[in-house]
Amino acid sequence: MSAVQVQPVKLKPRQPTSRADMDPISAKLSAEQALHDHLRHLDRHRQEHMALHMRLSLLQPGHRRASYLRVATETFEEAIRPLPGGRLFVLANQDLIYVGKAVHWRALASAAQHVRVLFEDDPLTRQDDFDGDVSLCGWYPLDTTYDDLNLIVQRMVREASRARHLPAMMRPKKEESRAPMDAEAFSRLARTLETADVDTMVRHQSICAMATPDGEPQPMFEEIFIAIDSLRERVAPGLDLHSDPWLFQALTRSLDDRLLAHLTREIKRRPIGPLSINLHVETLLSPEFRRFEERVVPQMRGRLLIEIHKLDLMAEMNSFLFIRDRLKARGHRLCLDGLTPATLGCFNREALGFDFVKLLWAADGLQRSRPQALPGVRSQIQACGGAHIILCRCDSETALTIGRDLGIVLFEGREVERRLGLRATR
């Protein structure tokens, strides 16, 4: 199974304007206006050109964090850099539209795949590219779809202009079952969380070794996390916590601190086994984490597994490389979270310094992999090291069976919890 090699990118300051060879006049235009002007100049050269629309604005809210979108844009820019004669437009809603030579469509498809694998657990990336306007990628051969794309861009120009000039209170709002989280609502929520009893929102799940079909699960780590759904139900009913990616990032970052405080109390209160916690890279550089280490390292040395999500890793690669060696020197182990079969081969676990990676079980992932694709998945698992992979979200016996067949021995999910419960009742 071939895999796109996703390389870390160096993030640069960004403005919502078009890229590549902009003249002084078009540089003063919005990206939407510059794109419309560019299409108008290509009217007589339709057969030679095509366009690709990357609809990042349609990703799920949790994937539209500003840092994640920057990684996606920089990754795409790096992939199309060798293509001559094209222009990339970064729109106000963070969508990307690239217009270039039609003969380069294969290379452009490969560049799009670099972005797709970043968000492969988002439902948008599972849609066929030709499912109208509900897929991640929209392809427009200008010889046949010039007028269609031109109408879309004209609408974008009007909407962007209207959004820039209307007062915030007059801008149309999307109908949502929950109210969006704005700065005022976030401030209220932050104050509430300062005194809220997060202990009731903490969830536990075991990571177990299961080497044989009949073998009992052997707990290796206990993952501890604060459930976002539980938090919303108890302290923010009716509030859409994902509506603003910046505020959601700040919220989850603050929850890291509350989780660390909770663990500090728990470790003082009772003996505790090896733990697994998911933290932001920014948290690992914070004074709160240093204080946590000072209090728990003597008891937890060599028994703390720190999980870092793949998108957070790519958004904060330089910071991660800065802190990684210190974490390892303190005896902590590291796990790269959020991988699927398509991205397992995109990250070199050993080179990055991770002890484990988490591979997501999904109904449309390993379970439905074509038989001819499974040998490729198996070879990637062998290259990574089957004993270093945790197959998570295992909610069925099928997940455990296929995982073991592929050489995986560490599992996490409801089926694992069910088996642990059966063992406890014997």
Side-chain angles (χ1 to χ4, degrees), residues 58-63 119-127:
L58 297 184
L59 291 166
Q60 289 187 326
H63 288 147
F119 303 105
E120 60 187 341
D121 52 345
D122 192 293
L124 184 68
T125 64
R126 300 171 195 158
Q127 299 293 328

Side-chain angles (χ1 to χ4, degrees), residues 200-241:
T200 60
M201 308 171 199
V202 171
R203 300 291 180 266
H204 300 243
Q205 201 165 41
S206 296
I207 299 172
C208 295
M210 299 179 67
T212 63
D214 299 327
E216 292 187 344
Q218 303 297 321
M220 304 298 292
F221 295 95
E222 181 181 12
E223 183 176 4
I224 299 182
F225 57 95
I226 296 176
I228 294 293
D229 289 344
S230 178
L231 180 147
R232 184 185 62 241
E233 292 171 4
R234 300 191 183 196
V235 301
L239 189 63
D240 181 4
L241 301 182

